[in-house]
Amino acid sequence: MRRMQIEVLELPLARPFAISRGTRTAVTVIRVTLEQNGFIGRGECTPTPRYDETPESVNAELEALRADMEAGLSRLDLQSRLSAGSARNALDCALWRLDAALAKHTLWQQCERRQPPSVITAETLSLDSIENMAAAAADAVSRGAILLKIKLNRDEILEKVAAIRQAAPRATLIIDANEAWSGVDLPSLFNALASFNIAMIEQPLPAGQDQELQRFAHPIPVCADESCHTREDIAKLRNRYEMINIKLDKCGGLTEALAMVEEAQKRDMRLMVGCMLGSSLAMEAALPVAIAAEHVDLDGPIWLAADSSPFLSYAQGQIWL
């Protein structure tokens, strides 16, 4: 028999985190612990209002499966019992880790993936004034950041990018609009941004309203985030996007994320792996997916006032394993 524990935790942020949809000073995460025969597997998820999730709704989904989980529900059976989302992610990752522990494997061995010494990750620049974003970029590269992810809305786009590029002339820059560029002349904007050597633009238009992306050539690759949740979304995105962003909280866990990697590679879609705000417990579960990605954005823990075990080491723009 298994035992399942559910914890709802509010994690304060070290500094405000702002995107086009709003600003946060704390993040609520839910952690699941499964114990069986003295072995433990843990998973963490971040309920996201953008996907109609609250801590209460996710906790209710988890409680509804408690009896079946404690009776031994398998990871594969879980995929059909819960839809994609953060509740399934927490359980799926806990089961991966529990199965690995029972087999006396690491998570990497259980996934049949080779663990690298480190993974380059983006450091996110929160939406702010031109001056503050440039200063944040300068600070990040002074600490060794290699890849910067710029959060933007519709205001002062080119001015902010120009200031950040001046502050970080050698860094790789990617932009995340978080669906905020409706009504913008995208062909003209993309052409202007290309002069700043931008590596990728993430989700410029709202999900379900991104048809315009197929009407012009992209001088900069475009990545689907809010438009892409599971492997079933990938085929219909090929004429709008060059890349997809896999997040465990969106797709419902490591199992689906690994399947998305295979599907994307079959369809010649480039890969990014991202995250919601969360601790190292959540980021570590995504690392076996991240090694297949062109861009990785797993910097959630560096935004926290205090991280949680297992602690990942962030230095010189990389996650050191």
Side-chain angles (χ1 to χ4, degrees):
M1 293 291 291
R2 290 194 199 122
R3 289 186 298 173
M4 183 170 83
Q5 179 184 1
I6 304 170
E7 300 174 274
V8 181
L9 303 169
E10 183 168 293
L11 307 180
L13 302 186
R15 56 198 185 281
F17 182 82
I19 67 173
S20 62
R21 285 191 289 268
T23 301
R24 307 179 77 169
T25 58
V27 59
T28 301
V29 303
I30 298 181
R31 293 183 186 151
V32 171
T33 302
L34 300 176
E35 187 274 329
Q36 182 175 331
N37 299 334
F39 293 92
I40 287 175
R42 301 168 67 215
E44 177 182 294
C45 69
T46 302
T48 306
R50 169 63 181 81
Y51 301 120
D52 299 320
E53 295 177 336
T54 65
E56 294 76 18
S57 69
V58 172
N59 187 65
E61 288 185 86
L62 295 171
E63 287 290 357
L65 271 188
R66 178 184 289 276
D68 288 340
M69 289 300 301
E70 294 187 338
L73 184 71
S74 73
R75 178 173 53 82
L76 295 180
D77 287 337
L78 171 66
Q79 309 309 307
S80 60
R81 295 293 305 276
L82 280 180
S83 59
S86 59
R88 193 176 78 186
N89 176 35
L91 289 174
D92 184 77
C93 292
L95 284 168
W96 269 103
R97 289 186 171 110
L98 178 62
D99 290 345
L102 290 167
K104 296 182 171 60
H105 287 166
T106 66
L107 181 62
W108 291 89
Q109 291 169 329
Q110 196 71 9
C111 295
E112 299 181 343
R113 299 295 193 274
R114 180 174 295 179
Q115 178 178 327
S118 65
V119 174
I120 294 173
T121 183
E123 181 162 337
T124 302
L125 304 181
S126 176
L127 181 64
D128 208 327
S129 67
I130 296 172
E131 295 76 16
N132 288 346
M133 294 185 78
D139 176 66
V141 295
S142 73
R143 291 182 281 100
I146 301 167
L147 173 63
L148 299 179
K149 179 175 179 177
I150 308 168
K151 293 286 189 179
L152 294 173
N153 55 19
R154 293 181 48 168
D155 300 327
E156 302 175 310
I157 295 170
L158 294 176
E159 294 84 352
K160 288 177 179 177
V161 172
I164 290 165
R165 175 50 82 198
Q166 184 174 8
R170 289 180 293 276
T172 299
L173 301 183
I174 58 179
I175 291 172
D176 187 2
N178 286 115
E179 306 179 282
W181 289 359
S182 294
V184 173
D185 180 355
L186 294 184
S188 296
L189 177 60
F190 278 34
N191 286 329
L193 288 170
S195 66
F196 296 104
N197 193 23
I198 303 300
M200 181 269 285
I201 296 172
E202 189 178 348
Q203 198 70 43
L205 297 174
Q209 302 174 40
D210 49 7
Q211 299 88 343
E212 183 183 347
L213 293 173
Q214 67 193 56
R215 299 186 184 124
F216 65 98
H218 302 165
I220 302 169
V222 185
C223 180
D225 181 5
E226 287 86 349
S227 289
C228 186
H229 289 229
T230 69
R231 75 188 100 166
E232 295 179 355
D233 298 322
I234 295 174
K236 64 188 178 185
L237 296 174
R238 287 187 63 200
N239 61 351
R240 302 179 189 181
Y241 298 91
E242 288 76 33
M243 183 178 293
I244 62 166
N245 187 350
I246 300 174
K247 293 179 180 176
L248 269 59
D249 273 320
K250 282 192 306 178
C251 72
L254 181 55
T255 301
E256 178 63 20
L258 292 170
M260 290 181 74
V261 170
E262 292 185 10
E263 180 68 16
Q265 290 173 339
K266 287 178 186 176
R267 298 184 179 277
D268 296 322
M269 292 285 279
R270 295 155 67 180
L271 291 170
M272 176 181 181
V273 169
C275 66
M276 309 302 182
L277 290 171
S279 78
S280 286
L281 177 64
M283 305 304 124
E284 187 204 37
L287 287 171
V289 188
I291 59 171
E294 183 175 339
H295 298 304
V296 175
D297 174 27
L298 294 176
D299 67 339
I302 72 174
W303 286 89
L304 301 180
D307 196 5
S308 302
S309 176
F311 298 101
L312 295 173
S313 177
Y314 288 80
Q316 298 300 308
Q318 300 180 67
I319 304 171
W320 297 90
L321 311 183

